[in-house]
Amino acid sequence: MSALICVPADGLFRFVQSDIERVLFDGPAIHKRLDELAAQITADYHNRELTVIAILTGSLMFMSDLLRRIPLPLRLDCLSVASYHGTTKASGDMIFKQLAVPDVADRDVLILDDILDTGHTLAAVRKTLETAKPRSIRICVLLSKRKQRARDVDVDYIGFEIEDEFVVGYGLDFMEQYRNLPYLAVLKKELLEQANQ
Ligand code: IMP
Ligand code: MG
């Protein structure tokens, strides 16, 4: 089973190969970086209890693989937030799919998200969680795009910085597909252009 996780663009996932321009980070590269991130977070939160708020659905794989590397007392809650409405264009309007803000009063909160793009999602989540008066808030993203953002967001932990390209796999989707790929890949531009027409 574990061998499958490390097979890039192959085996079960052969059906997507014609949609993928190139693999950016394969399974072993992701896991190696997660080891480093987890070690840094574990050291920074030494002797503290962490409250992780993961943003669904894109951060699922990242959350699961990262948190199993952090040997600290830890609570986990998830927020479901949408901004993309099925295409690759960010609207700036954030929809929180649950009404209650997690109870993070006096907690050390670490927000996890898959990718920082325009900044709308993380700016909105941070602002919402701040209303619940946590002791501290930090943000950790697997990917950060190098670009001018619509909203400034201070991010404390970044897995990988990437160019401004649309990526899929390892939790990230394009029109709800490709989340189960065990690697991060750039999608062919033709597919994006077709969907945006
Ligand atoms: P932001 O609000 O524009 O920063 O975007 C954050 C959300 O948009 C992420 O949590 C993803 O769900 C989605 N997103 C942004 N860029 C990409 C991408 O390249 N691939 C897949 N999803 C993306
Ligand atoms: Mg997302």
Side-chain angles (χ1 to χ4, degrees), residues 8-192:
D10 202 0
L12 268 186
F13 301 99
R14 191 160 291 150
F15 72 99
V16 300
Q17 276 181 349
S18 58
D19 299 348
I20 298 295
E21 191 173 286
R22 66 186 191 283
V23 173
L24 269 186
F25 303 105
D26 63 9
I30 296 170
H31 291 153
K32 182 167 172 286
R33 183 66 188 122
L34 293 191
D35 285 342
E36 295 166 356
L37 266 185
Q40 198 188 338
I41 292 168
T42 304
D44 290 353
Y45 287 89
H46 179 67
N47 280 341
R48 285 149 80 187
E49 186 184 282
L50 199 52
T51 298
V52 172
I53 306 285
I55 303 176
L56 297 176
T57 305
S59 70
L60 255 181
M61 315 285 175
F62 175 45
M63 167 187 77
S64 152
D65 284 343
L66 181 74
L67 296 191
R68 281 179 289 173
R69 290 169 161 79
I70 299 181
L72 289 176
L74 181 154
R75 295 181 188 217
L76 173 62
D77 213 333
C78 296
L79 273 183
S80 197
V81 184
S83 68
Y84 268 49
H85 312 293
T87 76
T88 60
K89 291 212 173 82
S91 66
D93 296 327
M94 305 310 306
I95 305 163
F96 283 75
K97 295 188 185 166
Q98 60 268 78
L99 297 175
V101 177
D103 179 13
V104 293
D106 296 323
R107 301 200 161 276
D108 291 309
V109 171
L110 182 65
I111 302 170
L112 290 189
D113 202 4
D114 51 357
I115 188 163
L116 176 63
D117 183 18
T118 64
H120 284 303
T121 305
L122 283 165
V125 169
R126 186 183 188 120
K127 194 168 160 226
T128 300
L129 290 175
E130 273 167 356
T131 64
K133 306 260 181 290
R135 182 183 303 136
S136 67
I137 297 191
R138 287 187 183 178
I139 296 177
C140 174
V141 292
L142 176 63
L143 301 168
S144 171
K145 290 188 188 175
R146 283 190 204 97
K147 66 188 287 186
Q148 190 80 35
R149 300 191 205 292
R151 304 283 303 271
D152 271 340
V153 182
D154 285 333
V155 175
D156 303 276
Y157 306 98
I158 296 174
F160 302 101
E161 281 205 282
I162 61 168
E163 296 310 316
D164 188 9
E165 298 180 298
F166 201 83
V167 293
V168 294
Y170 196 67
L172 288 97
D173 75 304
F174 173 61
M175 298 179 85
E176 295 304 329
Q177 294 294 315
Y178 310 105
R179 290 195 198 274
N180 56 330
L181 304 185
Y183 46 83
L184 285 155
V186 177
L187 203 60
K188 283 200 176 141
K189 298 219 172 24
E190 304 94 86
L191 286 172
L192 303 174

